[in-house]
Amino acid sequence: TTGGEGGTTVTVTNASDFLRYAQASGRYVIRVDGTIALSGMEDVASDKTIIGVGANGRITGGGLDLDGVRNVIIRNLTFTGADDDAINVQDGSTNIWIDHNDLSGADDGLLDIKRGSDFITVSWNRFHDHDKTSLVGHSDGNASQDRGHLRVTYVHNWFQGTNQRHPRVRFANPVHVLNNYYSDIGSYGVASTMDAGVFVEGNYFENVRRPTSIQEGDSDEGNIREANNLLVN
């Protein structure tokens, strides 16, 4: 996953310029300097790196929709106040890297991965002050599209003061949840349902009532393998 490497580098400070490059064909490295106020979910095209400049890169009000695209990196951005998802990865999107972002306060999910997407890495992000944090597989009835896909790694993330879905997985096998920090979680940490296979390894769960779960809502049970996790309180 190389994103816009080798393409044109641009710096954007407003929503119109941001969307012009994010939705263009070809390779772009898009440097976000300042606050980009979006309205609703906005598409991101293939072969893009979207990266915040220092601590200034912010996306508010709306979210990013990766729909049937490949080779996208989203890095070093603050997402807050989205009126739907902060980031939505769907419809067979592949080779997506979500890295070093701060996500909170969306209306729905902070990061949802669904509808046959594949080969996703979620690394070094802070998820906080939210309910439905990160979904893998959107419904119990979507096996035909999702089974054999949705291979995702969550590594070195901090889930802080969130409630559920860290992640909540359907059908995917394998999903690797590795070396993450969970602090003050409300309902549960990691859930595996609908025969998913999730490897929960080397995580630190602090003040988490249910670190793992194999059944949520009306979903059938999934499978979890656990190794070398630390449980505190």
Side-chain angles (χ1 to χ4, degrees):
T1 303
T2 57
E5 182 179 344
T8 303
T9 298
V10 296
T11 299
V12 299
T13 59
N14 59 69
S16 59
D17 286 342
F18 173 79
L19 294 175
R20 175 156 60 99
Y21 292 113
Q23 297 172 359
S25 60
R27 294 179 177 269
Y28 283 92
V29 176
I30 303 165
R31 302 171 73 249
V32 176
D33 190 359
T35 298
I36 304 297
L38 300 179
S39 178
M41 301 297 295
E42 296 286 359
D43 291 339
V44 175
S46 298
D47 302 315
K48 301 294 182 290
T49 296
I50 301 174
I51 183 168
V53 177
N56 295 326
R58 302 179 63 87
I59 293 180
T60 66
L64 302 183
D65 189 23
L66 282 58
D67 191 340
V69 300
R70 67 174 306 276
N71 192 35
V72 174
I73 299 171
I74 299 173
R75 175 175 290 152
N76 198 40
L77 290 165
T78 296
F79 291 83
T80 186
D83 58 3
D84 193 342
D85 297 333
I87 303 173
N88 181 42
V89 181
Q90 67 175 350
D91 289 332
S93 293
T94 61
N95 299 93
I96 310 299
W97 188 7
I98 311 296
D99 179 64
H100 277 92
N101 301 288
D102 185 291
L103 303 99
S104 66
D107 191 58
D108 192 4
L110 292 179
L111 170 60
D112 285 359
I113 300 166
K114 58 195 184 186
R115 298 185 185 274
S117 295
D118 220 355
F119 306 121
I120 318 292
T121 297
V122 182
S123 59
W124 295 101
N125 302 284
R126 178 186 176 218
F127 299 88
H128 61 101
D129 301 297
H130 192 74
D131 180 14
K132 299 174 181 178
T133 305
S134 188
L135 186 67
V136 178
H138 77 104
S139 76
D140 292 352
N142 206 50
S144 60
Q145 186 179 26
D146 287 342
R147 198 179 299 278
H149 303 289
L150 299 177
R151 286 166 283 192
V152 184
T153 296
Y154 290 81
V155 60
H156 299 314
N157 300 287
W158 181 11
F159 300 99
Q160 179 192 22
T162 44
N163 190 47
Q164 58 180 314
R165 301 185 180 180
H166 315 91
R168 192 253 209 245
V169 183
R170 295 178 172 98
F171 302 113
N173 189 359
V175 169
H176 197 182
V177 181
L178 172 68
N179 285 358
N180 301 283
Y181 177 39
Y182 295 80
S183 62
D184 303 312
I185 302 301
S187 180
Y188 65 84
V190 182
S192 175
T193 67
M194 300 306 296
D195 202 36
V198 183
F199 187 19
V200 181
E201 179 187 15
N203 301 281
Y204 192 110
F205 295 94
E206 184 171 16
N207 300 324
V208 182
R209 186 168 61 88
R210 290 191 296 152
T212 58
S213 170
I214 58 168
Q215 199 281 323
E216 291 297 325
D218 296 327
S219 299
D220 294 338
E221 291 185 355
N223 308 280
I224 285 180
R225 177 185 174 191
E226 300 182 43
N228 302 320
N229 298 291
L230 185 60
L231 308 180
V232 178
N233 276 344

